[in-house]
Amino acid sequence: MFLENLVLDAADPLRVGRFWAAALGARPLTVTPELYEARLELGDGCSLDLCIPQVPEVTTSPLRLHMDLLGGPRQQEIAERLRGLGAADLDIGQQDVAWIVLGDPEQLPFCVMEERSAYTGTGPIAALPLDSADVDRDAAFWARLTGWTDAPGVAPRTLRHPSGHGPLLELCPEPAPKQPGEKNRVHLDVRLEAGEDPDAAAALVAELGGRELAHDWGALPWRVYQDPSGNEFCILPAP
């Protein structure tokens, strides 16, 4: 299995997708009113696809996964460029912090980060902070599912693609437990490799403390799960 998608729920995928493709320099793959997909090439065969589907209702629950964009010495310049593309400043109670909090065209919060040595070679997305009830347990879970390995960082546990390219997956202590019935607005998708068995993948998820999720989202060509802290993710069929 490998990590393929960063998924952002949206009411208007075209508007949101065009913003993020321009913001990150991602190459559009699918452009329809119902789905916008774009690929972010990160070097040495490492890539991450942005998948922005249309959903009937975009949740307003607090984010448990979000994007921290690379800023560093150009933080103010990058933030101003993003405002020009349609982002707006947000006050989510951050008070006096070193990073800049913005919202995309549908007010999805993200951050433009200050200089941090751990962000060397990440590309435009520096980090993906994910809320966790047990960072060691969840780091082991995501490492097994993605093949990502421990890396230096500022979070209690940090994973990264073994190439050393691309964003950091930061396991961060959750401010509050995941509430039942509240769907994450941002989630990850993992894809099976050729020859991998979907049922074996389901058994591995259960062994590591996750579970398959019963949902009312209709028939889907992939299977939906929750990690041990309740964060949704999908396992996509082999290509």
Side-chain angles (χ1 to χ4, degrees):
M1 287 181 279
F2 61 95
L3 181 62
E4 180 170 274
N5 293 336
L6 175 64
V7 183
L8 318 175
D9 287 351
D12 185 345
L14 286 176
R15 183 184 181 208
V16 173
R18 286 168 177 154
F19 168 83
W20 281 111
L24 302 175
R27 174 170 57 88
L29 301 173
T30 304
V31 180
T32 73
E34 296 79 27
L35 177 65
Y36 193 104
E37 294 180 300
R39 177 158 297 165
L40 187 58
E41 301 287 357
L42 299 168
D44 281 355
C46 178
S47 65
L48 182 66
D49 288 355
L50 301 174
C51 181
I52 303 169
Q54 187 176 54
V55 296
E57 183 178 359
V58 178
T59 180
T60 57
S61 302
L63 292 183
R64 292 178 60 87
L65 173 67
H66 70 272
M67 279 185 276
D68 284 346
L69 302 192
L70 190 68
R74 299 178 56 232
Q75 181 190 44
Q76 294 294 336
E77 175 190 342
I78 289 169
E80 191 59 31
R81 174 179 172 269
L82 294 168
R83 293 182 187 104
L85 293 172
D89 291 271
L90 288 186
D91 183 352
I92 57 172
Q94 69 268 23
Q95 299 184 343
D96 186 19
V97 293
W99 51 89
I100 298 169
V101 181
L102 300 175
D104 77 0
E106 290 190 355
Q107 298 299 288
L108 176 72
F110 64 95
C111 303
V112 182
M113 302 302 291
E114 76 282 11
E115 182 75 19
R116 292 185 182 182
S117 59
Y119 294 160
T120 301
T122 61
I125 304 175
L128 298 167
L130 177 66
D131 283 2
S132 168
D134 182 328
V135 296
D136 290 329
R137 176 198 64 193
D138 290 352
F141 178 91
W142 284 103
R144 284 288 301 277
L145 261 64
T146 63
W148 287 25
T149 56
D150 281 294
V154 297
R157 291 292 300 274
T158 299
L159 301 177
R160 195 172 189 181
H161 190 278
S163 69
H165 293 275
L168 311 179
L169 180 62
E170 298 180 337
L171 284 303
C172 303
E174 61 184 17
K178 176 77 155 54
Q179 295 303 304
E182 288 188 352
K183 180 177 181 285
N184 286 6
R185 187 173 175 183
V186 181
H187 72 266
L188 302 172
D189 284 347
V190 175
R191 187 174 290 281
L192 296 175
E193 301 270 13
E196 288 187 311
D197 178 14
D199 291 331
L204 176 62
V205 169
E207 175 189 331
L208 295 172
R211 69 185 187 96
E212 192 157 6
L213 181 65
H215 59 81
D216 58 359
W217 305 332
L220 299 172
W222 52 79
R223 292 164 72 167
V224 182
Y225 297 86
Q226 289 180 319
D227 76 1
S229 291
N231 300 303
E232 294 91 359
F233 68 98
C234 301
I235 296 183
L236 312 178

